[in-house]
Amino acid sequence: MKVKYELIYNDGEARCGLLHTNRGRYETPMFMPVGTQATVKMLTKEELKACGSAIVLSNTYHLWLRPGEDVVAAAGGLHKFMNYDGPMLTDSGGFQVFSLADNRKIEEEGVHFKSHIDGSSLFLSPEKSMDIQQKLGADIAMCFDECPAYPSTYEYMKNSVDRTLRWAKRCKDVHNREDQSLFGIIQGGEYEDLRRYSALETVKMNFDGYAIGGTSVGEGKDVMYKMIDYAIAFLPEDKPRYLMGVGDPLDILEGVERGIDMFDCVMPTRIARHGNAFSRYGRMNLRNAKYKLDFTALEDNCDCYTCKNYTRSYIRHLLVANETLAGRLLSIHNIRFLIKLTEDIRESIKNKTFSTFKENFIKQYEGK
């Protein structure tokens, strides 16, 4: 089946719904942990499930390079390969091509580039991205798009949006896996008319869901929120809306307020590996000496494995001693924190108290 979105509650533009997938029904808004190379860094399937994880992301570019899509297909698909029985989404590889690869050359057919691993020459096109994603077998695939740098000139962005639309049509034309949904991606940078144009033209192709791309690429927060505003008004209410690459707690709240259903980001595990934890009072750097004799949990009201079993003092000790368990424990907490945030957001939408919840969360998070 294709994914289906069912709106259950709304509070202003904020929405609470059900996402029907091949592997169950899941409430939105949701935060989706990122397992770029078929693993959410340092976490097992059981730990993800304990955090309340639903959809997990993997990446076409990285799995194409290692171990190869045919290896994953031979294992029975991505779910069996990484032993995750929940729904999965694969990014098209477009962002990685434009952010990691060297010596890119964009043509109408696709992109020529050098591998960031060994420098070998590679070519990725809409058709190739679809072929890889269909072999990987995630529940949701993404169209291959161009993710331009920020800032880009209006002229460049206009040409880029047109190319992304042509690539989207090519993706849809060759995508034929009946048990896999395909999402279109809205681009357009900070330009209102281009975002509107991209949204309207992408919606005409009737994808199973829609993503807002090109955000969180170096622009200011006010610009990012405008990018969402410029596009979301033109997206259908009966399809899921996905804001790509966004995982800051405040950005999640701003996205929900505008009608976003799905979020993903590498942030929770990345900052964990650098000794940082999310908390309702803002981010904590556990390397700070003030935690040396702090024998409390990271969060006194957190239900994650880390907070139930370990103290700030112990985690700081692990960090100072360069023990990898520190990154694991902080990753578990950070992923649970964002998933719990979306759970609380859903309850506030159901109770028509989202605005109050958002205001109170921001005041506490920013120390006001």
Side-chain angles (χ1 to χ4, degrees), residues 68-220:
E69 68 274 20
D70 291 331
V71 173
V72 177
L78 194 52
H79 298 84
K80 288 187 177 179
F81 184 62
M82 66 178 285
N83 190 32
Y84 187 74
D85 56 3
M88 297 197 67
L89 182 154
T90 44
D91 191 1
S92 71
F95 177 79
Q96 286 69 31
V97 167
F98 293 103
S99 63
L100 293 179
D102 294 326
N103 302 317
R104 292 184 305 274
K105 183 180 180 183
I106 306 171
E107 298 178 346
E108 185 61 27
E109 282 305 302
V111 186
H112 294 271
F113 59 98
K114 301 287 187 182
S115 165
H116 78 286
I117 297 174
D118 60 11
S120 59
S121 297
L122 298 167
F123 176 72
L124 191 58
S125 67
E127 291 79 9
K128 181 63 175 177
S129 177
M130 290 298 96
D131 179 60
I132 297 168
Q133 290 188 76
Q134 291 185 102
K135 287 180 178 178
L136 295 176
D139 303 88
I140 300 171
M142 302 300 299
C143 282
F144 185 65
D145 64 324
E146 181 184 356
C147 187
Y150 176 85
S152 292
T153 67
Y154 183 90
E155 181 180 8
Y156 185 93
M157 189 62 71
K158 174 64 167 66
N159 291 332
S160 174
V161 167
D162 284 332
R163 182 183 298 114
T164 287
L165 289 169
R166 292 191 296 270
W167 286 358
K169 184 180 184 306
R170 286 165 55 187
C171 287
K172 198 165 194 303
D173 287 345
V174 299
H175 185 268
N176 55 19
R177 184 161 177 159
E178 291 299 322
D179 62 346
Q180 185 180 70
S181 298
L182 181 61
F183 282 22
I185 302 177
I186 314 303
Q187 290 288 353
E190 71 269 39
Y191 303 106
E192 181 175 5
D193 61 327
L194 296 183
R195 284 280 174 182
R196 179 177 65 249
Y197 168 68
S198 178
L200 290 171
E201 293 302 311
T202 305
V203 168
K204 286 179 183 178
M205 297 184 218
N206 192 29
F207 288 100
D208 302 307
Y210 298 93
I212 297 176
T215 64
S216 233
V217 292
E219 78 280 4

